[in-house]
Amino acid sequence: MKYTVTATYTTSLKVDIEAKDINEAHQIAKDIQLSQFEQDKDSGVVKISQIEVSNANFTDEQLAFIQAYSRNVAVADDYVVKAFVLSDDHDEFYKDHSDTYTGLADARGVWEDAKRFFAK
């Protein structure tokens, strides 16, 4: 299973300047080019903000269903819809997501009927 991880990387930059007071220092600092700063060697923090099932795990048709559900129904969060689409055992899925299962199953049924209708 592939996952998409979203993270931020925060680092500190430093530059020495001369000014008559803190207000002038602030103004000078605002006008300095980024290339003039040096990275603080003791800084650098990675913070993971989100991990989700990657879209690479889905066919184009599955992604179309997930997107259509999200745009038109959106009762369940995308991560729940993705879990539903990947689920081989709907009884097991129902145990963890009984509040959204019926709506997801109904939406999937409408999707499948629409495909059959279109194919005729």
Coordinates of all heavy atoms in Angstrom, one line a residue, residues 3-9 46-52:
Y3 N 1.4 5.4 0.6 CA 0.8 6.4 1.4 C 1.4 7.8 0.9 O 2.6 7.8 0.5 CB 1.1 6.2 2.9 CG 0.3 5.0 3.4 CD1 0.9 3.8 3.4 CD2 -0.9 5.2 3.9 CE1 0.2 2.7 3.8 CE2 -1.6 4.1 4.4 CZ -1.1 2.8 4.4 OH -1.8 1.8 4.8
T4 N 0.7 8.8 1.0 CA 1.2 10.2 0.7 C 1.4 10.8 2.1 O 0.4 10.9 2.9 CB 0.2 11.0 -0.1 OG1 0.0 10.3 -1.4 CG2 0.7 12.4 -0.4
V5 N 2.6 11.3 2.3 CA 2.9 12.0 3.6 C 3.1 13.5 3.3 O 3.9 13.8 2.4 CB 4.2 11.4 4.2 CG1 4.5 12.1 5.5 CG2 4.0 9.9 4.5
T6 N 2.4 14.3 4.0 CA 2.6 15.7 3.9 C 3.3 16.2 5.1 O 2.9 15.9 6.3 CB 1.2 16.5 3.8 OG1 0.5 15.9 2.6 CG2 1.4 17.9 3.6
A7 N 4.4 17.0 4.9 CA 5.2 17.5 6.1 C 5.7 18.9 5.8 O 5.7 19.3 4.6 CB 6.4 16.5 6.3
T8 N 6.0 19.6 6.8 CA 6.6 20.9 6.7 C 8.0 20.8 7.3 O 8.3 20.0 8.2 CB 5.8 22.0 7.4 OG1 5.7 21.6 8.8 CG2 4.5 22.2 6.8
Y9 N 8.9 21.6 6.7 CA 10.3 21.6 7.2 C 10.5 23.1 7.6 O 10.4 24.0 6.8 CB 11.3 21.2 6.1 CG 12.7 21.3 6.6 CD1 13.2 20.4 7.5 CD2 13.5 22.3 6.1 CE1 14.6 20.5 7.9 CE2 14.9 22.4 6.4 CZ 15.4 21.5 7.4 OH 16.7 21.6 7.8
V46 N 11.3 18.8 11.1 CA 10.3 18.2 10.2 C 9.0 17.9 11.0 O 9.1 17.2 12.0 CB 10.8 17.0 9.5 CG1 9.7 16.3 8.7 CG2 12.0 17.3 8.6
K47 N 7.9 18.4 10.6 CA 6.6 18.1 11.3 C 5.7 17.4 10.3 O 5.4 18.0 9.2 CB 6.0 19.4 11.8 CG 4.7 19.1 12.5 CD 4.1 20.4 13.1 CE 2.8 20.1 13.8 NZ 2.1 21.3 14.1
I48 N 5.3 16.2 10.5 CA 4.4 15.5 9.7 C 3.0 16.0 10.0 O 2.5 15.9 11.1 CB 4.5 14.0 9.9 CG1 5.9 13.5 9.4 CG2 3.4 13.2 9.1 CD1 6.2 12.1 9.7
S49 N 2.3 16.5 9.0 CA 1.0 17.0 9.2 C -0.1 16.1 8.8 O -1.3 16.2 9.2 CB 0.8 18.4 8.5 OG 1.1 18.3 7.2
Q50 N 0.2 15.2 7.8 CA -0.9 14.3 7.3 C -0.3 13.1 6.7 O 0.7 13.2 6.0 CB -1.7 15.1 6.3 CG -2.9 14.3 5.8 CD -3.8 15.2 4.9 OE1 -3.5 16.4 4.7 NE2 -4.8 14.6 4.3
I51 N -0.9 11.9 6.9 CA -0.6 10.7 6.1 C -1.9 10.1 5.6 O -2.8 10.0 6.4 CB 0.2 9.7 7.1 CG1 1.5 10.3 7.6 CG2 0.4 8.4 6.3 CD1 2.2 9.4 8.6
E52 N -1.9 9.9 4.3 CA -3.1 9.3 3.8 C -2.8 8.3 2.7 O -1.7 8.3 2.2 CB -4.0 10.5 3.2 CG -3.4 11.2 2.0 CD -4.2 12.4 1.5 OE1 -5.4 12.5 2.0 OE2 -3.7 13.1 0.7

